């Protein structure tokens, strides 16, 4: 497999049963609304069918009266003037209009409501998916599920479901009427019925495949846009836009090709259904005509049959048109349901979980971990931190430092060994509970669009005085003197803040969170020494009575930690305080010497 | 419309052929009732002519086959050209966004562009695929029917058409509203796309800070907003059909009662009345289609407007009319050494009183004047927000400077051809970004690079060992969906990407921030070797990275606070001295 195909998202397939089972819970709360919608459609159809009867009555009763008295019976009411009949007619079409209107509005409301609910549930579910899921699926691709795919299902809950139901009932009634009128002739036509359903079944199957490809390609297109925009500066400055454009053209062409295939499938299917209609007319003319010749049926019956045949094929045609939409919606449905079927991580609150009030101790016991089977990034890691103490993790890039954080934050689960909190197994507490007491500052400063204030304290710290104090304690207040303050609006990718400023906001966020456990993963890499010193002074103050774990490349950052572990290739090589490690004259000492020499050189 | 016109022109033959196919189908369709009528009439007069009957039914079936074939073709031709339009516009959009400048990206959101590329383009395709087909069909069938009705009885037809102006007024009114409702709904959809994208991007922070509740509420709020706006649009679309039916029924009523009156007055035969009612029922489909199409087309137009607005965005950073090519590469020999005649003391980069502001309000760079000579190296340091990254952004012209002049190789920046400027500058942004693809793809970025050069650069960036430890080596997939890399590894790959091409100017924004000291010092050493005769500008907080520079500038609050060599600055600058002491700190402890 070439790396390109490996990179693309797989097409998603589900059995219809699984699909329906997956979608049903989202329909269920609104099922009564769909039922109301269907009932209104039936009422409307009834009123629509009244119109030919009314015309007939008008002709027979008034225009070309069959009897001497100009009058008609209509639902037990005697209408004896043409004017009055006119008013009744006007009344009925107005009523039809009102019901049509209400039905249309109600159906749209129902559909949109289901979609809203589905989108909210889907997003909620996705937020609780494990981080590994996000590491395997790019954000651009995932966005197309919540945005495009959900949107694509909209038609299903408005036009499709309601009308498929109506059309099927309509077809069955016409078939019954035809059998009632003439069994033999109807039987001839009935041969066509399995053909119709067989072709619908067959085409729906192959068209779903195409819609799957289309949805998958759209998601790739989304990803292309998302990635190119994020990396635009690199593309432009390395003059690589042409290559990306070429790559996109290829993808776009694949989408186009799938689109053409979809058109071709329906260009065969739809006219084929139309042909069956014409074929049936031919059959009735010949077979029915011969019957007429034999005197078995009247011309009237033949004409009636032709009329009903026409009525029968109208919903068939509509049904196939709806099937087009349905297959498209179902292809999106598969993509949505498959995410909903992805198990969320550790949400299963086991019964014996207890409330965690504060973190007093964190311990790793013989932890081993691999992102991909067979490639261990952590081997037999053990350490412990207690309240009021700090642990520094040092080591070269790629030695496994961040992986320790990934386990501690519950982003991933270790393959063997135990993580203990307050001497209890990690899963004794709910992950949310542990995270409530934990603050993490990561290598890449991630901010959300909104004000700086919102980024630091989303909801629980509305009080400005408290917030300002928290920032002051964090030595981060100086930053906000040069900007419009806490209400500076941050846009995508943290603009207009510089990387260093973004990092400071992230640090402020961690401090304002008032955690028991602070994790700094290379949190000051974008800061100059002076700002970094300030942050460290603040940390020293804040570390009192808390646990802190600090990862750093610059040894100056961690040298004040109570305990240090030196990691290489996923194993702990040395551990102890700065002084102890210096005395040991091992790898840490070596690194330290190198670093100092570099500065003084 | 000007966006679509070229596609219409390009696909003109295809579209015309498709419409012709459709017209023939319509025509054939109208002959079938005539066949049936003939059969019924024949049965009434001569019920035993089985052979003639067979002939008639075979003709009907043959016509059916003809229609099937023609229907196939108009679908392929017309809908295919709609897909062509979709493909074309999407490609145009992608090509366009690649040319936009940073300033534009600071204002627009990724999610917004994604919504343009999928949802809006889809609306355009629907409008000009199904929409145009249905419209053509409805107009043709409708006017033909009205023509026949007029032929039968002018007065009755005119009476029957009385409610029609109502229809036109309603569709125009609703159409306008629909246009604006669709616009707002699409905007809301864009915002929704963006908030979802951002949430997925920052999922770790959301999880670890338990922001889940907040973000879910926020997305709910955006979904609700879209729901409300979309519902308005949907309501409007839903109203049209009932209106159409109502108007149609009114016309039926008029024909029935006025026509009925005429029959009673013997001014009209009963047969004519029945025929009129029949023809009116044929008119039902064009009317419904017309309403439906109004909706589709309005949606398409509103989306087209949005896409057009995006395509019309012109970057501020663009070539001037008589842009000159930078010819620095000509002075380079095969192995990257510059010709000796190129003066070492010639100015390479010059800033003359440069001011810069992102929003024309707060200036991030003020009165910057400096000169970096050819082949020298300049270091830049300073507190966060002092303007370091913005300074580099001006050299590679991600932004235009607000005031003052910048000269590269003695050419005014504004006169230099953008592509040639970037061909001459290697640039590494501060935050490393890897595209999803292999390490090799990320480094060579589609250019041809010899394995030798690649190996050399990998070695220089201290990537050799890291990469050889990976199961697939340089062909390991990285990026959003690739293997988990540490920040330092990512940074080194991004650095390799910058250094792989030999270029006369190298700009590095904080290139070793994520690396451990040991690796960083090796990398810095290698950069200075690789640099050769190129001009190097490096932003860093690490003294080790700054020490080798010929001149170091200290930026503070958008101004050059101090400048000089490492030795000078230790004496002159408090900021520099401070940083130096802090980073020196360990030394005293070790010895």
């Amino acid at each position: 497999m070439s790396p390109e195909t490996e990179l693309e998202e797989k097409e998603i397939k589900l059995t219809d049963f699984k699909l329906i089972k997956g979608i049903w819970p989202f329909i269920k709360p609104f099922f009564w609304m769909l039922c109301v919608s269907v009932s209104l459609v039936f009422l409307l159809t009834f009123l629509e069918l009244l119109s030919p009867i009314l015309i007939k009555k008008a002709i027979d009763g008034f225009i070309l009266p069959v009897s001497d008295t100009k009058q008609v019976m209509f639902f037990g009411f005697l209408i004896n003037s043409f004017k009055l009949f006119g008013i009744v007619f006007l009344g009925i079409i107005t009523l039809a209009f009102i019901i049509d209107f209400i039905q249309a509005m109600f159906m749209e409301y129902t559909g949109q409501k289901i979609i809203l609910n589905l989108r909210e549930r889907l997003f909620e579910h996705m937020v609780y998916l494990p981080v590994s899921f996000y590491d395997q699926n790019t954000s651009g691709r995932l966005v197309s599920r919540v945005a495009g795919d959900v949107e694509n299902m909209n038609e299903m809950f408005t036009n499709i479901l309601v009308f498929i139901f109506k059309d099927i009932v309509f077809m069955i009634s016409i078939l019954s009427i035809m059998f009632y009128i003439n069994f033999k002739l109807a039987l001839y036509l009935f041969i066509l019925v399995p053909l119709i359903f067989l072709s619908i079944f067959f085409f729906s199957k192959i068209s779903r495949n195409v819609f799957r490809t289309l949805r998958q390609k759209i998601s790739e297109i989304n990803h292309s846009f998302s990635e190119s925009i994020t990396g635009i500066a690199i593309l432009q400055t390395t003059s690589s836009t042409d290559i990306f454009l070429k790559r996109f053209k290829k993808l776009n062409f694949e989408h186009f090709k799938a689109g053409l295939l979809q058109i071709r499938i329906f260009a065969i299917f739809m006219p084929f259904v139309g042909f069956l209609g014409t074929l049936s007319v031919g059959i009735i003319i010949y077979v029915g005509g011969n019957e007429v010749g034999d005197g078995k049926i009247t011309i009237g019956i033949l004409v009636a049959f032709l009329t009903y045949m026409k009525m029968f094929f109208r919903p068939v045609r509509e049904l196939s048109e709806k099937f087009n939409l349905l297959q498209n919606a179902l292809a999106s449905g598969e993509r949505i349901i498959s995410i909903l079927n992805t198990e969320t991580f550790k949400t299963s609150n086991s019964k014996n979980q207890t409330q965690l009030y504060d973190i007093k101790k964190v311990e790793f016991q013989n932890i081993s971990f691999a992102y991909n089977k067979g490639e261990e990034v952590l081997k037999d890691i053990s350490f412990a931190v207690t309240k009021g103490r700090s642990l520094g993790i040092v080591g070269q890039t790629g030695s496994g430092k961040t992986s320790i954080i990934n386990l501690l934050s519950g982003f991933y689960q270790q393959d063997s060994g135990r993580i203990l909190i307050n001497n209890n197994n990690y899963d004794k507490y709910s992950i949310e509970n542990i995270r409530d007491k934990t603050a993490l500052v990561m290598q890449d400063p991630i901010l959300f669009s909104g004000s700086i204030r919102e980024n630091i304290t989303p909801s629980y710290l509305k009080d400005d005085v408290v917030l300002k104090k928290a920032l002051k304690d964090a030595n981060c207040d100086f930053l906000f003197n040069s900007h419009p303050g806490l209400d500076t609006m941050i846009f995508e990718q943290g603009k207009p803040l510089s990387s260093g400023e973004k990092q400071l906001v992230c640090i402020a966020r961690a401090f304002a969170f008032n955690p028991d456990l602070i994790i700094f993963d290379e949190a000051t890499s974008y800061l100059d020494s002076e700002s970094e010193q300030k942050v460290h002074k603040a940390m020293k103050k804040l570390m009192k009575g808390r646990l802190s774990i600090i990862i750093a490349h610059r040894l100056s950052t961690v040298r004040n930690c109570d305990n240090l572990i030196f990691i290489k290739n996923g194993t702990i090589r040395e551990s102890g305080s700065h002084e102890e490690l210096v005395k040991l004259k091992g790898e840490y000492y070596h690194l330290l010497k190198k670093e100092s020499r570099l500065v003084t050189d | 419309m000007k966006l679509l016109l070229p596609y219409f022109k390009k696909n003109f033959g295809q579209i015309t052929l498709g419409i012709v196919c459709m017209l023939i189908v319509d025509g054939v369709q109208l002959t079938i009732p005539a066949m049936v009528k003939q059969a019924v009439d024949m049965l009434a007069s001569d019920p035993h002519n089985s052979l003639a009957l067979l002939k008639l039914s075979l003709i009907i079936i043959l016509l059916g086959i003809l229609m099937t074939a023609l229907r196939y073709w108009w679908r392929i031709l017309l809908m295919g050209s709609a897909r062509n339009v979709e493909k074309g516009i999407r490609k145009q959009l992608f090509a366009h966004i690649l040319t936009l400048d940073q300033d534009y990206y600071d204002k627009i959101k990724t999610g917004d562009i994604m919504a343009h590329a999928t949802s809006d383009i889809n609306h355009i395709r629907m409008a000009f695929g199904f929409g145009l087909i249905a419209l053509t069909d409805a107009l043709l069938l409708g006017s033909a029917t009205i023509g026949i009705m007029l032929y039968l009885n002018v007065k009755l037809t005119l009476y029957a058409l009385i409610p029609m102006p109502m229809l036109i007024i309603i569709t125009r009114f609703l159409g306008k509203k629909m246009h604006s409702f669709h616009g707002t709904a699409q905007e809301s959809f864009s915002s929704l796309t963006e908030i979802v994208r951002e949430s997925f991007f920052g999922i770790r922070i959301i999880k670890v800070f338990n922001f889940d509740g907040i973000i879910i509420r926020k997305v709910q709020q955006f979904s609700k907003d879209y729901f409300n706006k979309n519902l308005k649009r949907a309501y409007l679309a839903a109203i049209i059909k009932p209106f159409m039916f109502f108007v149609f029924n009114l016309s039926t009523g008029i024909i029935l009662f006025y026509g009925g009156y005429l029959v009673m007055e013997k001014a009209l035969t009963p047969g004519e009345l029945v025929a009129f009612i029949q023809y009116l029922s044929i008119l039902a489909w064009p009317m419904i289609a017309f309403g439906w199409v109004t909706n589709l087309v309005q949606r398409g137009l509103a989306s087209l407007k949005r896409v057009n607005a995006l395509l019309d965005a012109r970057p501020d950073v663009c070539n001037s009319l008589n842009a000159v090519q930078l010819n620095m590469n000509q002075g380079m020999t095969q192995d990257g050494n510059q010709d000796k005649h190129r003066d070492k003391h010639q100015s390479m980069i010059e800033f003359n009183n440069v001011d810069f502001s992102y929003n024309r309000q707060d200036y991030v760079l003020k009165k910057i004047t400096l000169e970096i000579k050819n082949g020298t190296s300049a270091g830049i340091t300073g507190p966060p927000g002092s303007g370091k990254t913005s300074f580099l952004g001006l050299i590679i012209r991600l932004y235009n400077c607000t005031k003052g002049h910048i000269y590269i190789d003695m050419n005014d920046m504004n006169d230099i051809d953008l592509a040639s400027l970037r061909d001459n500058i290697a640039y590494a942004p501060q935050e490393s970004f890897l595209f999803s693809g292999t390490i090799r793809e990320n480094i060579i970025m589609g250019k041809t690079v010899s394995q030798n050069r690649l190996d050399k650069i990998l070695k220089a960036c201290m990537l050799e060992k890291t990469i050889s430890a990976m199961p697939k080596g340089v062909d390991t997939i990285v990026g959003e969906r690739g293997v988990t890399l540490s920040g330092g590894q990512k940074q080194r790959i991004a650095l390799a990407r910058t250094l792989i091409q030999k270029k006369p100017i190298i700009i590095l924004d904080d290139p070793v921030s994520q690396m451990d000291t040991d690796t960083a010092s090796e990398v810095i050493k290698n950069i200075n070797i690789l640099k050769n005769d190129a001009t190097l500008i490096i932003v860093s907080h690490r003294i080790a990275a700054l020490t080798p520079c010929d001149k170091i500038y200290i930026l503070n609050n958008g101004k050059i606070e101090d400048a000089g060599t490492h030795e000078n600055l230790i004496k002159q600058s408090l900021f520099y001295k401070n940083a130096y002491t802090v980073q020196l700190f360990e030394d005293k402890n070790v010895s």
Side-chain angles (χ1 to χ4, degrees), chain A residues 37-54:
Chain A
S37 226
V38 171
S39 328
L40 284 174
V41 166
F42 277 120
L43 191 59
L44 194 63
T45 317
F46 173 72
L47 287 177
E48 267 171 41
L49 289 175
L50 269 188
S51 150
I53 296 171
L54 278 174

Side-chain angles (χ1 to χ4, degrees), chain A residues 407-468:
Chain A
L407 296 182
L408 191 56
S409 323
F411 292 157
Y412 283 87
Q413 270 180 309
Q414 70 272 21
D415 299 323
S416 66
R418 297 200 303 164
I419 302 176
L420 302 179
I421 291 189
N422 299 351
N423 294 325
N424 289 313
N425 228 338
Y426 197 86
D427 47 19
K428 174 109 186 204
Y429 311 103
S430 81
I431 186 86
E432 286 77 21
N433 200 185
I434 297 171
R435 285 172 179 166
D436 257 341
K437 312 280 172 204
T438 312
L440 167 70
V441 185
M442 301 196 302
Q443 286 184 341
D444 298 314
I446 289 176
L447 297 179
F448 301 98
S449 44
S451 66
I452 289 185
R453 182 197 312 276
E454 282 171 327
N455 264 286
I456 294 176
T457 64
S459 61
Y460 44 82
L461 249 181
K462 283 269 153 62
D463 189 350
D464 236 39
V465 185
V466 181
L467 177 61
K468 286 228 166 96

Side-chain angles (χ1 to χ4, degrees), chain A residues 130-138 142 371 406 411-412, chain B residues 200 203-204 479-484:
Chain A
V131 165
S132 56
F133 177 81
Y134 287 91
D135 287 347
Q136 281 154 24
N137 297 280
T138 63
L142 293 177
Y371 291 103
N406 275 341
F411 292 157
Y412 283 87
Chain B
F200 291 160
I203 192 75
R204 283 167 197 258
E480 255 197 294
R481 219 186 148 197
V483 299
T484 322

Side-chain angles (χ1 to χ4, degrees), chain B residues 371-384:
Chain B
E371 188 188 46
I372 298 167
K373 293 221 189 301
N374 180 27
T376 63
S377 55
I380 294 162
T381 190

Side-chain angles (χ1 to χ4, degrees), chain A residues 7-8 63-64 70 82 85-86 89 93 97 100-101 105 108 112 116 120 123-124 126-129 131 134-136 138-139 143 151 222-223 225 227-228 232 234 236-240 243 248-249 252 255 259 262-264 267 270 275 282 286 289-290 293 302 306 396-398 406 432 435-436 440 443 448-449 458 492 495 498-499 502 525-531 533 553 556 559 589 592-596 598-600, chain B residues 32 36 43 47-48 50 53-54 57 65 68 72 75 79 83-84 86-87 90-91 94 98 100 102 106 109-110 114 117 193 197-198 200 204 207-212 214 216 218-220 223 226-227 230-231 234-235 239 242 246 249 253 257 260 263-264 270 384-385 396 422-423 430-431 435-436 445 447 477 480-481 486-489 492 497 513-518 521 541 575 580 582-587 589-590:
Chain A
L7 265 174
E8 280 192 15
I63 300 169
L64 301 166
K70 287 192 169 187
F82 196 37
F85 188 81
F89 185 85
I93 63 171
F97 171 62
D100 199 0
F101 189 78
M105 302 283 254
E108 286 301 337
Q112 299 291 344
L116 174 70
E120 286 177 358
F123 182 79
E124 202 177 322
M126 286 174 88
V127 166
Y128 292 113
L129 287 175
V131 165
Y134 287 91
D135 287 347
Q136 281 154 24
T138 63
S139 45
V143 168
E151 206 53 35
N222 249 336
H223 166 71
F225 269 91
E227 190 180 58
S228 308
I232 190 76
I234 296 163
Q236 288 179 345
T237 55
T238 55
S239 316
S240 320
I243 293 117
F248 179 79
K249 269 188 193 162
N252 199 24
H255 177 262
Q262 178 247 333
I263 291 170
R264 178 157 303 147
M270 299 295 294
F275 173 70
Y286 182 67
N290 276 328
L302 185 67
L306 285 172
Q396 289 197 315
T397 58
N406 275 341
E432 286 77 21
R435 285 172 179 166
D436 257 341
L440 167 70
Q443 286 184 341
F448 301 98
S449 44
E492 203 181 331
K495 278 167 185 147
S498 74
S499 302
K502 279 193 276 179
S525 56
Y526 292 126
L527 298 183
D528 63 303
S529 298
E530 199 173 350
S531 313
Q533 283 302 98
H553 301 128
S556 61
R559 58 182 306 283
Y589 174 77
L592 193 60
K593 264 193 95 171
K594 231 184 218 167
E595 186 168 318
S596 331
L598 287 167
V599 180
T600 41
Chain B
I32 290 191
V36 174
L43 278 173
H48 297 288
S50 185
L53 211 55
L54 183 67
S57 61
I65 291 170
T68 311
Y72 171 81
R75 272 177 178 270
M79 295 191 169
R83 282 281 180 195
N84 243 325
E86 178 193 22
K87 182 185 79 170
R90 190 174 280 133
K91 195 214 84 197
F94 190 81
L98 291 177
L100 292 176
Q102 281 300 316
D106 293 349
K109 294 176 169 181
T110 312
M114 284 162 80
T193 310
R197 193 198 65 80
E198 185 183 80
F200 291 160
R204 283 167 197 258
K207 279 179 181 291
V208 84
F209 282 93
N210 283 340
F211 284 171
D212 40 359
I214 294 149
I216 286 169
K218 216 165 163 189
V219 167
Q220 273 173 356
S223 308
Y226 177 60
F227 166 77
N230 199 26
L231 198 59
Y235 276 163
I239 290 171
F246 183 62
N249 280 332
F257 290 95
V263 172
M264 281 184 261
I396 189 91
R422 287 169 181 171
D423 279 342
Q430 187 169 26
E431 286 168 42
F435 297 94
S436 40
M445 294 300 281
K447 308 274 172 12
I477 289 170
E480 255 197 294
R481 219 186 148 197
S486 77
Q489 288 168 334
R492 279 178 287 154
R497 164 162 66 206
S513 58
Q514 312 260 2
M515 299 175 204
D516 60 273
T517 329
D518 204 8
S521 68
H541 299 301
F575 177 84
Y580 179 70
V582 170
Q583 294 183 30
L584 190 69
F585 200 27
E586 283 90 23
D587 190 43
N589 279 282
V590 180

